[in-house]
């Protein structure tokens, strides 16, 4: 039973298109994240939601819009895709009641290629 | 300046060698540190966490934090080919986890 699942795993699309990536966790966690991993493997935080409320919003273009319909889901919609958006996007979740030792659980990643 | 700086390597060692990985961080506020391991085409998974200066051991793995010099280290003893992965050091402060660039390690059989 997958703990953090993302769909789709692979996405190839043209510049200018709009696409969405979905994430669901069945761990009962209250905090979810989106990270972007570039070709050099650097993981950069994009957004975080706690109990459906946005708590972290790093300097991300407003073409990226996260949505959390409930605690178990965090989706990412990207408008007007650009070449530089090509990356692997990871969803993650953790329990905030774990304090500062709360482990972050990652999905397997969604590999986005913009042509 | 990135919050956590990590030498990206890559690092290639023979089986049985000791692997030494290092990170430095810039913010002195009290915080927790973790090491994550990421296999190719997979999501990162927690390897170890620590929040105090000194050493923490877990089997063949030892995590070390030196808060005076803002240095985080991970040592892998008796390395195995299955240890071949990218290792990411992580600083945790409130809700935010800041990742280093990751060091890719290959253990040759």
């Amino acid at each position: 039973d997958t703990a953090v699942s993302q769909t789709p795993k692979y996405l190839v699309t043209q510049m200018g298109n709009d696409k969405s990536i979905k994430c669901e966790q069945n761990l009962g966690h209250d905090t979810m994240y989106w990270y972007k991993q570039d070709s050099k493997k650097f993981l950069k935080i994009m957004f975080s939601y706690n109990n459906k409320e946005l708590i972290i919003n790093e300097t991300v273009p407003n073409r990226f819009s996260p949505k959390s319909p409930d605690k178990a889901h965090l989706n990412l919609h990207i408008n007007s895709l650009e070449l530089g958006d090509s990356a692997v996007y990871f969803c993650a979740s953790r329990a905030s009641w774990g304090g500062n030792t709360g482990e972050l659980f990652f999905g397997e990643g969604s590999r986005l290629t913009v042509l | 300046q990135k919050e956590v700086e990590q030498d990206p390597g890559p690092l290639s060692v023979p089986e049985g060698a000791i692997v030494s990985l290092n990170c430095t961080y810039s913010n002195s506020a009290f915080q927790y540190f973790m090491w994550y391991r990421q296999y190719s085409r997979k999501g990162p998974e927690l390897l170890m966490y620590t929040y105090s200066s000194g050493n923490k051991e877990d089997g063949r793995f030892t995590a070390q934090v030196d808060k005076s010099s803002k240095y985080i280290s991970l040592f892998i003893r008796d390395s195995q080919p299955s240890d071949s992965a990218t290792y990411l050091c992580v600083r945790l402060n409130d809700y935010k986890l800041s990742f280093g660039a990751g060091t890719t390690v290959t253990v040759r059989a």
Side-chain angles (χ1 to χ4, degrees), chain A residues 10 30-31 33 35 37 40-45 48 50 55-56 58 90 94 96 99-109 111, chain B residues 2 4 8 30 32 34 36 38-46 49 51 86 88 92-102 104:
Chain A
Y10 298 95
D30 60 344
T31 307
Y33 302 77
Y35 279 84
Q37 188 171 46
K40 293 186 178 169
K41 300 281 195 179
F42 183 62
L43 263 168
K44 188 172 163 50
I45 190 167
S48 178
N50 176 258
I55 55 168
I56 295 174
E58 292 293 291
F90 283 99
R94 68 187 284 262
S96 64
N100 279 320
T101 58
E103 179 180 349
L104 197 64
F105 289 81
F106 282 86
E108 298 235 317
R111 186 174 294 269
Chain B
K2 292 196 180 84
V4 182
F30 182 63
Y32 292 84
M34 301 176 179
Y36 273 74
Q38 185 178 19
Y39 290 113
S40 182
R41 298 200 173 253
K42 295 287 186 185
E45 52 187 7
L46 180 66
Y49 75 86
Y51 59 90
T86 297
L88 303 136
L92 172 60
N93 202 23
D94 293 326
Y95 288 103
K96 189 175 167 186
L97 283 82
S98 301
F99 284 78
T104 299

Side-chain angles (χ1 to χ4, degrees), chain A residues 33-75:
Chain A
Y33 302 77
W34 277 111
Y35 279 84
K36 179 181 179 181
Q37 188 171 46
D38 60 27
S39 56
K40 293 186 178 169
K41 300 281 195 179
F42 183 62
L43 263 168
K44 188 172 163 50
I45 190 167
M46 300 174 69
F47 303 102
S48 178
Y49 274 73
N50 176 258
N51 282 316
K52 302 192 296 174
E53 293 211 14
L54 182 66
I55 55 168
I56 295 174
N57 184 353
E58 292 293 291
T59 325
V60 177
N62 56 16
R63 297 182 295 104
F64 291 78
S65 50
K67 273 199 174 58
S68 181
D70 55 57
K71 282 195 313 184
H73 296 84
L74 180 61
N75 304 323

